[in-house]
Amino acid sequence: MVATLTRIFGLEHLTLAEDVVQEALARALQTWPFYGVPKNPAAWIMRASRNLALDVVRRQKVFRDKQPEIVHLIEQSNPAPDTAVFPEQEIADDRLRMMFVCCHPLIPAEAQVALALKTLCGFSVAEISRAFLTTEAAIAKRLTRAKQKIREEHIPFEIPAGEELARRLDGVLQSLYLLFNEGYKASTGEKLVREEICDEAIRLTGLLAEHAAGNQPKTHALLALMLLNAARIPARVDGEGNLLRLQEQDRTRWNQSIIARGMFHFAKSAAGDEITEYHLQAGIAACHCAAPDYGSTDWRQILSLYDRLVQFDDSPVVALNRAIVVANIHGPKAGLDAVAAIQDLDKLNSYYLLYAVLGELEARLSHLQAAARHFRESLRLAEIKSERMFLSKRLLACEELK
């Protein structure tokens, strides 16, 4: 809705489009409990947004010269109450345009993904700050600067072509990658997995892969990564919502049809000579999906892929994941050494998984006091209910054995 109204209002009025949609959603929350959920909720909300937009256009002087054109665009169709105000293809194209607007090279690089996550995906400032391991204030400043740059530079609302497309596609893919990650391992809330966010990331990436602008090997690699990870979602928690580690998961619950789709796009990603971090991460996910049980996992192949991945992404989070693989091959002491060797390890000081990993490795060495200390710190930092329950059990086990 924001993307479609932005096309109509003009990109310089992006904030106004966001405000109108937010108001429409608020009205839905106020009226639906009393009058019932409409047959087509999306059409209801879009119609409410359209009507609010018309009110704004007729009221504000800034739109006086454009009013006839804008009113015509908004009222160009008059469908039945339960049908969409704008055609699906039109909305799909608007979302693709918005993806590339957010990743325009005139917008500071550190603000591009934040803007896409906020504008296109509906993330809160808090969720974005957690994805970037930074403060909410820093993200708020990035978003303000990005919108200011859009106004100042009169950035067009379009899908680019040629070299311009190539420059912007990487930012679009990173935005979609972070969107999926937030759904696959939510940063806040009651649920570990937010499947609707994962589904939306997969849908948007599929939309991009089908379009001439995005039909490239790295797009298919990212889509493969998402699908192969999403296929394992049903087994990540038990019937009571408790977190299950990879070795505890019932692999018969992994969605084989989604795995097949992932492998299809993984094969398509092999075209050409370019290898990206999405190829390597999809390869890691494929190794897990190909193993019939935990003991059969090809950890050495996974470590080889991680060794190449750190050349693309030297972030401490990737290095931490690599340390877990090292521990699975060479033992917990080697894993602890790999953690200690991570550059910029201090950036993970507020990252609960660092202490969860340290606790697991210390527990495997029977260093129960140290393990309990790490689990206690991880529990303090964790926010998801299922993760806190899991860490509480691990902490209790260590304390009982001390």
Side-chain angles (χ1 to χ4, degrees):
M1 290 186 291
V2 170
T4 296
L5 291 174
T6 297
R7 169 173 55 83
I8 294 170
F9 281 147
L11 195 55
E12 66 273 20
H13 300 296
L14 169 59
T15 299
L16 175 61
E18 291 179 315
D19 290 344
V20 167
V21 171
Q22 185 174 357
E23 175 62 23
L25 293 170
R27 292 190 180 186
L29 290 172
Q30 291 167 355
T31 60
W32 290 2
F34 297 98
Y35 297 101
V37 178
K39 187 181 297 184
N40 188 330
W44 189 101
I45 295 171
M46 181 58 90
R47 185 176 298 280
S49 298
R50 184 192 70 167
N51 293 338
L52 286 165
L54 285 170
D55 291 342
V56 170
V57 168
R58 288 163 176 153
R59 189 170 63 245
Q60 291 192 4
K61 292 180 181 179
V62 70
F63 292 116
R64 185 162 294 164
D65 294 336
K66 284 184 168 184
Q67 181 174 326
E69 177 187 355
I70 292 175
V71 170
H72 171 71
L73 283 170
I74 294 179
E75 292 184 329
Q76 61 185 337
S77 59
N78 187 28
D82 289 324
T83 58
V85 176
F86 298 97
E88 279 294 322
Q89 187 56 50
E90 191 174 337
I91 294 172
D93 288 344
D94 287 339
R95 299 199 76 176
L96 281 172
R97 291 187 189 99
M98 183 63 82
M99 286 189 213
F100 285 99
V101 165
C102 292
C103 299
H104 195 284
L106 290 176
I107 297 173
E110 72 277 5
Q112 290 178 6
V113 178
L115 181 63
L117 293 175
K118 175 69 170 64
T119 303
L120 189 65
C121 308
F123 274 32
S124 68
V125 172
E127 287 172 321
I128 300 171
S129 69
R130 291 186 183 92
F132 282 99
L133 300 178
T134 188
T135 65
E136 293 184 33
I139 294 299
K141 287 181 180 178
R142 292 182 193 182
L143 292 170
T144 299
R145 286 197 296 267
K147 292 180 180 180
Q148 182 178 355
K149 181 62 70 172
I150 287 173
R151 290 192 299 270
E152 291 174 351
E153 301 293 340
H154 305 290
I155 292 174
F157 190 75
E158 63 184 13
I159 298 174
E163 292 183 5
E164 180 74 7
L165 168 65
R167 282 197 296 269
R168 270 195 259 176
L169 183 59
D170 286 341
V172 172
L173 293 176
Q174 188 186 10
S175 299
L176 294 169
Y177 172 73
L178 288 174
L179 174 64
F180 180 85
N181 283 353
E182 177 61 25
Y184 191 71
K185 213 299 294 174
S187 57
T188 58
E190 288 290 309
K191 297 171 62 179
L192 173 69
V193 179
R194 297 167 66 181
E195 291 187 53
E196 72 283 0
I197 292 182
C198 292
D199 291 343
E200 180 66 0
I202 290 171
R203 194 180 75 80
L204 288 172
T205 309
L207 191 68
L208 187 62
E210 291 169 2
H211 194 282
N215 184 15
Q216 296 189 23
K218 56 188 172 184
T219 307
H220 289 284
L222 176 58
L223 186 53
L225 168 62
M226 291 178 178
L227 289 165
L228 293 171
N229 282 335
R232 308 204 307 264
I233 287 176
R236 292 188 68 207
V237 294
D238 63 19
E240 297 178 354
N242 296 313
L243 174 65
L244 295 174
R245 292 173 294 181
L246 188 60
Q247 60 265 42
E248 299 165 342
Q249 293 177 15
D250 178 3
R251 298 190 178 213
T252 64
R253 297 184 62 202
W254 290 4
N255 191 313
Q256 294 301 316
S257 64
I258 295 180
I259 290 175
R261 283 181 60 200
M263 291 299 189
F264 169 78
H265 286 284
F266 191 36
K268 292 197 73 171
S269 76
D273 300 325
E274 184 184 20
I275 296 291
T276 67
E277 59 185 290
Y278 305 124
H279 286 86
L280 297 171
Q281 290 192 55
I284 292 168
C287 285
H288 287 301
C289 287
D293 53 59
Y294 186 78
S296 304
T297 305
D298 190 347
W299 291 110
R300 294 188 181 278
Q301 174 65 15
I302 291 175
L303 180 59
S304 175
L305 291 166
Y306 266 114
D307 287 341
R308 297 186 67 183
L309 181 59
V310 294
Q311 297 172 19
F312 287 85
D313 183 356
D314 61 354
S315 75
V317 173
V318 171
L320 181 63
N321 291 334
R322 179 186 175 277
I324 297 170
V325 180
V326 169
N328 282 333
I329 298 172
H330 301 295
K333 176 62 168 64
L336 287 170
D337 291 341
V339 173
I342 294 175
Q343 292 185 350
D344 298 324
L345 184 60
D346 59 321
K347 289 185 177 180
L348 299 181
N349 284 343
S350 59
Y351 188 48
Y352 86 97
L353 280 176
L354 168 64
Y355 304 100
V357 169
L358 292 172
E360 287 290 342
L361 296 179
E362 293 286 11
R364 285 169 60 182
L365 289 168
S366 298
H367 300 162
L368 300 178
Q369 188 170 350
R373 184 175 69 253
H374 289 306
F375 282 131
R376 201 172 291 113
E377 180 64 11
S378 184
L379 181 60
R380 185 182 70 83
L381 295 169
E383 296 190 35
I384 303 294
K385 180 179 178 181
S386 61
E387 292 172 335
R388 292 182 58 82
M389 290 173 61
F390 170 79
L391 292 167
S392 295
K393 290 178 182 177
R394 298 297 294 134
L395 175 59
L396 182 61
C398 289
E399 291 177 337
E400 289 177 344
L401 292 171
K402 278 195 296 184

